[in-house]
Amino acid sequence: MMNETQMLISLGGYVDVVKYRYVYFVLWFIVYVLILCCNLTIIYIIWIHRNLHEPMYIFIAALSLNSLLFSTAIYPKMFVDVLSHRQSVSHSACLLQSFFFYTLGGSDFLLLSALAFDRYVAICKPLQYATTMGTTSVTIFLVLAWFLPACQIGVGTAVRGEQKLCHFILKGIFCNNSVQKLYCVKQRFLTVWGLFVLANISLIPVLFILFTYIKIFMVAYRSCGEVRKKAAETCLPHLMVLISFSCLCGFDVIIARLESDLSKTVRLIMSVQIVVYNPLFNPIIYGVKMKEIWKHIKRLLLCGTHHPISQKRSESSH
């Protein structure tokens, strides 16, 4: 007899997939390629230019890496689904996809918190910046940003893996919190643990970010024009990313809680925004709004014949 982890779950979130399967595939493929190109460009530029080897840019590169991993956990499976006669996933693969979905989402919030703290120290306590945001501090922030969400999400994933399925149709195009509605019994532990994890990796980081930016803008308002300009140039892109990401996380909660009250088309549109908007537009926001990154992108586009190795050496000599 097939065990629980091998049982197939049907993905019922597509609209007219038989009729539009090639439209879906082309759109997914274009978006995935754009996500790869945009995020790899940000990572590449930060990696080769020594003047970008600072905490803020390292955290931005980590966010782009997160977007790459997030998209790779979602899009290849969607390619297979739209070209298949049956859109389905095994219970174990569904849990694995959900694990990466929420782990990387939690990492984004913690990385944005690290960015907020970096900007707070740089603008509010500039004399302490070199000692506070050293290599060791940056490494600790990066490790915690990936380790804490993975551990906390992993606990819930392991418990779900032991539960019995009574329903086998998921009203979505990928595995998220909606999978909870497939189990025979709703465990109180998972509900409490889910709220604990939600607070730890999203609500508390958001409150921390808002607190730090309020302090930053208070200091900038009382300071000279140069400080205000620095705050606007470096903080506004992070706030734009935070606001958009928080809205998309809200979509995920709405889909999971109100899926029976939403039409299939509305659920599909909201699901698509979750997996398209953030991974694609974050690197664009950072690429256009961050002055130093944009400068190197323009140089990369306009001076394609300039060898990056020689440029790296020239920067090292300065």
Side-chain angles (χ1 to χ4, degrees):
M1 182 179 291
M2 186 181 295
N3 63 36
E4 292 293 330
T5 59
Q6 295 173 322
M7 288 183 176
L8 291 180
I9 298 169
S10 295
L11 300 172
Y14 287 99
V15 177
D16 293 330
V17 66
V18 175
K19 183 178 179 180
Y20 298 113
R21 68 171 72 250
Y22 296 110
V23 175
Y24 280 123
F25 179 81
V26 171
L27 290 176
W28 293 165
F29 184 76
I30 291 172
V31 170
Y32 185 54
V33 169
L34 287 173
I35 288 171
L36 291 180
C37 291
C38 291
N39 285 286
L40 284 172
T41 299
I42 296 295
I43 294 171
Y44 172 74
I45 286 174
I46 292 173
W47 177 65
I48 67 168
H49 295 290
R50 291 191 180 277
N51 67 319
L52 299 182
H53 292 183
E54 298 177 3
M56 178 176 68
Y57 298 109
I58 292 172
F59 294 137
I60 290 174
L63 283 168
S64 287
L65 177 60
N66 254 19
S67 294
L68 290 176
L69 296 174
F70 177 87
S71 302
T72 302
I74 301 294
Y75 281 90
K77 179 64 173 67
M78 294 201 302
F79 296 158
V80 174
D81 287 336
V82 296
L83 295 179
S84 301
H85 293 292
R86 183 182 179 188
Q87 293 72 49
S88 60
V89 62
S90 68
H91 184 208
S92 57
C94 189
L95 290 176
L96 184 63
Q97 187 179 65
S98 178
F99 169 79
F100 282 114
F101 182 88
Y102 290 107
T103 295
L104 295 170
S107 295
D108 274 354
F109 275 120
L110 294 180
L111 287 170
L112 288 169
S113 298
L115 271 168
F117 181 71
D118 173 81
R119 292 299 83 203
Y120 169 75
V121 177
I123 294 171
C124 300
K125 301 181 179 181
L127 298 180
Q128 301 176 26
Y129 185 79
T131 54
T132 304
M133 296 302 297
T135 303
T136 302
S137 298
V138 172
T139 303
I140 291 172
F141 283 134
L142 291 174
V143 170
L144 290 177
W146 282 306
F147 181 74
L148 288 180
C151 290
Q152 295 180 43
I153 300 297
V155 171
T157 303
V159 174
R160 286 194 183 98
E162 301 299 321
Q163 288 189 281
K164 184 180 178 181
L165 291 168
C166 281
H167 309 282
F168 300 91
I169 299 178
L170 186 70
K171 296 180 180 180
I173 59 176
F174 54 83
C175 295
N176 59 359
N177 262 334
S178 297
V179 74
Q180 296 180 65
K181 299 189 177 182
L182 303 182
Y183 298 117
C184 302
V185 178
K186 187 175 181 180
Q187 287 196 14
R188 183 180 297 273
F189 168 77
L190 283 176
T191 302
V192 175
W193 183 255
L195 293 173
F196 171 76
V197 173
L198 178 67
N200 266 354
I201 64 177
S202 60
L203 295 181
I204 293 176
V206 167
L207 292 175
F208 173 78
I209 292 168
L210 293 177
F211 171 77
T212 54
Y213 279 117
I214 288 172
K215 296 287 287 184
I216 288 170
F217 290 128
M218 287 174 63
V219 170
Y221 179 76
R222 295 195 299 263
S223 302
C224 63
E226 187 64 29
V227 175
R228 286 196 292 270
K229 182 181 177 183
K230 180 182 178 181
E233 287 180 352
T234 61
C235 295
L236 287 180
H238 307 324
L239 279 177
M240 291 169 64
V241 170
L242 173 66
I243 292 169
S244 65
F245 187 58
S246 299
C247 290
L248 295 176
C249 289
F251 282 179
D252 181 67
V253 173
I254 291 171
I255 292 171
R257 301 298 177 189
L258 302 177
E259 67 175 23
S260 59
D261 300 325
L262 301 173
S263 70
K264 198 172 185 179
T265 303
V266 171
R267 287 200 308 270
L268 177 62
I269 292 172
M270 293 175 73
S271 298
V272 167
Q273 287 189 69
I274 293 170
V275 297
V276 170
Y277 188 85
N278 215 56
L280 180 58
F281 289 104
N282 280 7
I284 294 175
I285 290 172
Y286 284 126
V288 174
K289 293 294 184 180
M290 300 300 291
K291 183 178 177 181
E292 287 298 315
I293 295 178
W294 177 236
K295 180 177 71 177
H296 291 300
I297 289 177
K298 286 194 294 185
R299 188 177 301 169
L300 182 68
L301 295 174
L302 298 176
C303 308
T305 57
H306 190 71
H307 201 281
I309 301 299
S310 62
Q311 186 174 349
K312 188 176 179 181
R313 287 174 180 169
S314 66
E315 288 182 355
S316 302
S317 63
H318 288 297

